[in-house]
Amino acid sequence: MPRHAIPGPRDSRSAVRFDTALPVRMGDGAGETQNISAQGIYFETDVEQRIGSLVNFTVEYTLYGRKHRLLCEGKVVRVESHGDRIGVAARLVAPFFADEEEAQAAA
């Protein structure tokens, strides 16, 4: 079950973040979320990103036994090196849900 943290006095984020590990896919690369909120996402990947760039990606999750994909566009606001992985923080610009049949077919 995902944990969540409510922003405190030392945290300037305006949305509650949920720590969760979900698969992320973008172009030819893949990654895994570290946390997600209604306004943003932080994930680790092997795909280079630049601050200020727009990135399109999908987040895959299971709900009530069915696989779904959240198709997202985000603006990269932070990039961190984690050894051979790259940490990417992005503000969500345009999230929307894919057809369930499409997500099922990808499973």
Side-chain angles (χ1 to χ4, degrees), residues 43-90:
F43 59 91
E44 289 188 355
T45 182
D46 53 0
V47 179
E48 275 294 327
Q49 299 296 322
R50 288 191 326 251
I51 293 175
S53 65
L54 291 178
V55 60
N56 293 298
F57 56 93
T58 62
V59 177
E60 299 174 359
Y61 64 98
T62 302
L63 183 63
Y64 301 117
R66 297 184 72 179
K67 290 190 177 194
H68 301 272
R69 291 189 297 171
L70 179 63
L71 305 176
C72 302
E73 180 178 32
K75 182 174 184 179
V76 177
V77 296
R78 188 174 76 243
V79 177
E80 303 171 336
S81 177
H82 293 279
D84 62 343
R85 304 289 281 170
I86 300 160
V88 178

Side-chain angles (χ1 to χ4, degrees), residues 22-26 29-33 41 43-44 57-60:
L22 298 170
V24 174
R25 304 228 184 277
M26 61 179 129
E32 184 175 84
T33 63
I41 187 167
F43 59 91
E44 289 188 355
F57 56 93
T58 62
V59 177
E60 299 174 359

